[in-house]
Amino acid sequence: MTSVKSTNITWHKPLVTQPDRDERNGYKGVVLWFTGLPSSGKSTLAHQLERSLFDRGCNAYVLDGDNIRHRLNKDLSFSPEDRQENIRRIGEVANLFADAGIIVMAAFISPYLEDREQARALNDPGRFFEVYCKCSLETCEERDPKGLYKRARKGEVNAFTGISAPYEEPENPEITVETDKQSLYECVSEILVFLEEQGVIPASL
Amino acid sequence: MTSVKSTNITWHKPLVTQPDRDERNGYKGVVLWFTGLPSSGKSTLAHQLERSLFDRGCNAYVLDGDNIRHRLNKDLSFSPEDRQENIRRIGEVANLFADAGIIVMAAFISPYLEDREQARALNDPGRFFEVYCKCSLETCEERDPKGLYKRARKGEVNAFTGISAPYEEPENPEITVETDKQSLYECVSEILVFLEEQGVIPASL
């Protein structure tokens, strides 16, 4: 990890705290960290869950390749160091969103255990939940909506997770969904029930 | 500006849009970009405004040195390039917060016109407002709560804005508050009235 280079900074006490926000909102600001192989359904699931949470009155927001890799992290490649920095920054941004009272979903391959644990460590206990989007490599390759697996098999894409770069499975994810066995609706429901049980969102009527 | 290094990304259509969020919230997700000399009152004002907006039922959130320089941007120094990258990332994060429906306040010296214009350019018209915290150098130096001006005058702090590094005044800020002439309460009120007039927040009862 990088050390802090700016030493001329002191901390302010906020006048609105995370518990203040939680109390008024009626749900908790938390991070849902989706991880899984390319085409395992992370982003699709996160966006569907965002909609379901919005329909239940919660402010939820998805961070994914669409709004991060093209923008905040557009200076980063897919090298191991840049992947690490990518996840480090996303972890920090996710923590800010949760602090602001939002149910934030980070949907990135995030192939390395250690990087995910560092993202977790930024948050207080009960504020970070790892969601493993489990899907066989075969099914991911069959889906391949962007033709990336095909290109990776031909050697046209460097360091492609699952083919030419490692994916480290979560050891103790809070939630596992099997996107090659469960429907999108089932996966969303499973996560909503989990969030209710954890007291993150109120039980549905 | 850096070019996009990750080309393996396609865009998803979000299932919840910024207008969806605005409509339900009853206020607009926008960026308030505070700029001014060190000790000009940016962070104090932003935190007070965050509280006032929260008390009026809005979700508001401050990005400042406390949660950004120590965390997301802890790898950056105060060199000109790193200052630029600092502001670039903050601009992107602020844009994400506004997209999520939040009234986000960025409170950083942000001394360069061009960097601030780039932060503005990330947002649709009417979603970004520059707040110039105008304060004479003399008053800032008198305040000097962290003793930084004193150290800068002794040459102990490199590239200190206002002393040994430039500050480029805003040319057309949407809001100017004079923190050496107006009270904190007056500054907050001025910004709230502006936000009402712009239709960002509903008029107070």
Side-chain angles (χ1 to χ4, degrees):
Chain A
M1 294 295 287
T2 38
S3 62
V4 176
K5 286 200 184 161
S6 52
T7 53
N8 296 342
I9 308 280
T10 50
W11 291 82
H12 280 91
K13 240 200 179 129
L15 303 177
V16 185
T17 65
Q18 192 185 36
D20 291 338
R21 298 174 191 275
D22 289 350
E23 190 185 340
R24 186 167 73 191
N25 291 336
Y27 55 89
K28 283 187 189 165
V30 298
V31 178
L32 300 176
W33 191 279
F34 292 74
T35 175
L37 288 170
S39 305
S40 60
K42 301 176 295 297
S43 202
T44 302
L45 177 53
H47 278 100
Q48 194 59 55
L49 184 63
E50 178 188 47
R51 181 74 225 185
S52 297
L53 286 166
F54 183 80
D55 291 341
R56 289 175 66 155
C58 304
N59 192 0
Y61 193 71
V62 176
L63 305 174
D64 67 4
D66 291 352
N67 54 21
I68 297 291
R69 271 283 186 183
H70 283 288
R71 305 278 304 264
L72 175 66
N73 291 354
K74 66 179 180 179
D75 55 319
L76 301 175
S77 72
F78 285 91
S79 72
E81 313 79 64
D82 277 11
R83 277 178 191 258
Q84 188 173 34
E85 173 65 7
N86 181 50
I87 297 304
R88 185 191 74 79
R89 290 188 203 164
I90 292 161
E92 294 288 1
V93 172
N95 174 260
L96 290 173
F97 270 85
D99 188 48
I102 293 151
I103 300 173
V104 63
M105 288 160 280
F108 299 87
I109 301 169
S110 47
Y112 302 119
L113 269 170
E114 191 189 336
D115 295 349
R116 298 194 301 267
E117 285 312 302
Q118 283 179 354
R120 177 190 294 275
L122 299 174
N123 301 278
D124 289 333
R127 296 279 183 180
F128 182 99
F129 304 102
E130 195 173 12
V131 182
Y132 178 26
C133 293
K134 194 173 177 179
C135 184
S136 71
L137 181 62
E138 293 67 37
T139 301
C140 291
E141 255 193 284
E142 272 170 37
R143 289 177 183 164
D144 202 19
K146 306 168 200 168
L148 289 172
Y149 279 98
K150 207 163 282 174
R151 289 179 53 208
R153 289 288 186 195
K154 287 185 194 161
E156 293 170 11
V157 183
N158 280 334
F160 191 78
T161 303
I163 304 294
S164 46
Y167 178 76
E168 297 174 359
E169 284 201 313
E171 288 174 348
N172 287 302
E174 277 81 3
I175 307 167
T176 300
V177 288
E178 301 193 65
T179 69
D180 49 1
K181 295 177 186 152
Q182 296 171 272
S183 70
L184 180 56
Y185 175 78
E186 286 168 337
C187 294
V188 169
S189 295
E190 181 181 328
I191 299 172
L192 289 172
V193 167
F194 173 87
L195 294 176
E196 290 179 3
E197 287 170 354
Q198 294 290 316
V200 172
I201 59 173
S204 56
L205 299 177
Chain B
M1 294 295 286
T2 40
S3 61
V4 176
K5 287 198 183 165
S6 53
T7 53
N8 296 341
I9 309 282
T10 50
W11 291 83
H12 281 90
K13 242 201 177 124
L15 303 177
V16 185
T17 66
Q18 194 185 35
D20 291 338
R21 297 174 192 275
D22 290 350
E23 191 186 339
R24 187 167 73 190
N25 291 337
Y27 54 88
K28 283 187 188 162
V30 298
V31 178
L32 300 177
W33 192 278
F34 292 75
T35 176
L37 288 171
S39 307
S40 61
K42 300 176 297 298
S43 202
T44 302
L45 177 53
H47 278 101
Q48 194 60 54
L49 184 64
E50 177 187 47
R51 182 71 224 187
S52 297
L53 287 165
F54 182 80
D55 291 341
R56 289 174 68 154
C58 304
N59 192 359
Y61 193 71
V62 177
L63 305 174
D64 68 3
D66 292 352
N67 54 21
I68 297 291
R69 272 282 185 184
H70 282 289
R71 305 279 301 265
L72 175 65
N73 291 354
K74 67 179 179 178
D75 56 319
L76 301 176
S77 73
F78 285 91
S79 72
E81 312 82 62
D82 277 10
R83 278 178 191 260
Q84 186 173 35
E85 172 66 7
N86 181 49
I87 298 304
R88 186 191 74 79
R89 290 188 202 165
I90 292 161
E92 294 288 1
V93 172
N95 173 261
L96 290 172
F97 270 86
D99 188 49
I102 292 152
I103 299 172
V104 63
M105 288 159 278
F108 299 87
I109 301 169
S110 46
Y112 302 119
L113 269 169
E114 191 190 337
D115 294 350
R116 296 194 302 265
E117 284 313 302
Q118 284 180 353
R120 178 189 293 275
L122 299 175
N123 301 278
D124 290 333
R127 296 279 184 181
F128 183 99
F129 305 102
E130 195 173 11
V131 183
Y132 178 27
C133 293
K134 194 172 177 179
C135 184
S136 71
L137 182 61
E138 292 66 37
T139 302
C140 292
E141 256 194 283
E142 272 170 35
R143 289 177 184 165
D144 201 19
K146 305 169 200 167
L148 290 172
Y149 278 98
K150 206 162 283 176
R151 289 180 52 209
R153 289 287 185 196
K154 287 186 196 163
E156 294 170 9
V157 183
N158 281 334
F160 192 77
T161 303
I163 304 293
S164 46
Y167 178 77
E168 298 175 359
E169 282 203 317
E171 288 174 348
N172 287 302
E174 279 80 3
I175 307 168
T176 299
V177 287
E178 302 194 64
T179 68
D180 49 1
K181 294 177 187 155
Q182 296 169 274
S183 70
L184 179 58
Y185 175 79
E186 286 168 339
C187 295
V188 169
S189 294
E190 181 181 329
I191 299 172
L192 289 173
V193 167
F194 174 87
L195 294 176
E196 289 179 5
E197 287 169 356
Q198 294 290 315
V200 173
I201 59 173
S204 57
L205 299 178

